[in-house]
Amino acid sequence: DAGVIQSPRHEVTEMGQEVTLRCKPISGHNSLFWYRQTMMRGLELLIYFNNNVPIDDSGMPEDRFSAKMPNASFSTLKIQPSEPRDSAVYFCASIIQQGGNYGYTFGSGTRLTVV
Amino acid sequence: GNSVTQMEGPVTLSEEAFLTINCTYTATGYPSLFWYVQYPGEGLQLLLKATKADDKGSNKGFEATYRKETTSFHLEKGSVQVSDSAVYFCALIIQGAQKLVFGQGTRLTINP
């Protein structure tokens, strides 16, 4: 199993540009989560999907952020337009619940730098 | 609401020292508890978990016991190694829910 795959690993972009982060969850996992990690705020849950449907997007900071999950094997997090304060590491995680054994698996993250 | 509080870091120890990282929680329901570890430049990895009171999770020499009476899940290791240097996150999930709630993380550095 290749685990949760995120791309790109690193992204440097100029302020105002559109950024798209990608995630491929583990096959068979039915929930997907996007987290943002910064020194100041730690790990923040942005949005999560269950069976490809967005369940809770209350953590999405503002309208510049959007996320989609068109199918069970792919999700995107888009920032348009990007701002320097969006610089962070963005993690994707997927999960399958089996009798209380919560199998959360995280990707390696995308380090975003907006200059 | 549901929240997790960890001891403030950073924590710096010498190799072979005893480690304790404190974690306490508040929960509206009945939580499962986790410790995750993040090595430099990597994502979070599950280190250990406990799903009910008095359960002890263990892995790689680390242990944590689910203490309902003190709402705690402290992480311990008897003899740390340089390779244990990482950021450690305590987390909970309410059974039946899906959102994992993290503490703020504790950075651990082990010196040779």
Side-chain angles (χ1 to χ4, degrees):
Chain A
D1 192 338
V4 176
I5 300 173
Q6 291 187 248
S7 64
R9 286 298 306 271
H10 303 274
E11 177 80 32
V12 181
T13 191
E14 292 185 348
M15 183 173 63
Q17 296 299 305
E18 177 180 295
V19 175
T20 300
L21 311 181
R22 297 173 176 79
C23 176
K24 176 178 169 57
I26 291 176
S27 177
H29 282 197
N30 59 351
S31 296
L32 182 142
F33 302 76
W34 282 101
Y35 284 87
R36 178 172 68 177
Q37 185 178 36
T38 60
M39 289 292 292
M40 292 295 294
R41 302 166 79 116
L43 274 164
E44 303 173 276
L45 177 63
L46 301 178
I47 185 172
Y48 78 93
F49 296 84
N50 193 30
N51 294 321
N52 313 336
V53 176
I55 302 300
D56 183 351
D57 65 354
S58 59
M60 297 285 263
E62 47 196 276
D63 292 345
R64 297 183 297 106
F65 285 69
S66 63
K68 294 182 179 179
M69 192 165 186
N71 57 61
S73 59
F74 184 65
S75 177
T76 59
L77 178 67
K78 185 177 294 186
I79 308 173
Q80 166 63 22
S82 58
E83 296 183 3
R85 61 195 168 114
D86 302 330
S87 298
V89 182
Y90 291 81
F91 289 103
C92 176
S94 69
I95 183 175
I96 185 168
Q97 295 183 13
Q98 292 176 325
N101 181 17
Y102 299 95
Y104 254 82
T105 303
F106 283 80
S108 298
T110 295
R111 181 174 295 276
L112 174 64
T113 303
V114 183
V115 297
Chain B
N2 303 312
S3 66
V4 176
T5 303
Q6 294 180 230
M7 67 185 289
E8 296 244 350
V11 174
T12 302
L13 296 172
S14 297
E15 204 165 21
E16 298 184 4
F18 184 86
L19 168 71
T20 300
I21 301 178
N22 290 338
C23 170
T24 57
Y25 67 89
T26 58
T28 55
Y30 192 69
S32 293
L33 303 173
F34 305 83
W35 277 100
Y36 280 81
V37 58
Q38 184 179 28
Y39 298 104
E42 298 184 14
L44 280 72
Q45 303 173 25
L46 178 64
L47 180 60
L48 54 84
K49 68 178 188 289
T51 57
K52 60 183 187 295
D54 300 325
D55 267 2
K56 177 185 284 188
S58 61
N59 186 25
K60 299 181 181 180
F62 290 89
E63 293 182 341
T65 301
Y66 188 142
R67 300 289 189 199
K68 188 177 180 182
E69 63 276 12
T70 54
T71 63
S72 65
F73 193 55
H74 305 321
L75 183 68
E76 296 183 335
K77 186 174 185 181
S79 177
V80 293
Q81 306 300 312
V82 172
S83 57
D84 294 326
S85 298
V87 181
Y88 292 81
F89 292 89
C90 187
L92 69 81
I93 190 167
I94 300 300
Q95 293 189 14
Q98 292 175 313
K99 291 169 62 172
L100 198 57
V101 177
F102 285 97
Q104 69 270 37
T106 302
R107 182 175 299 277
L108 173 67
T109 301
I110 307 299
N111 294 321

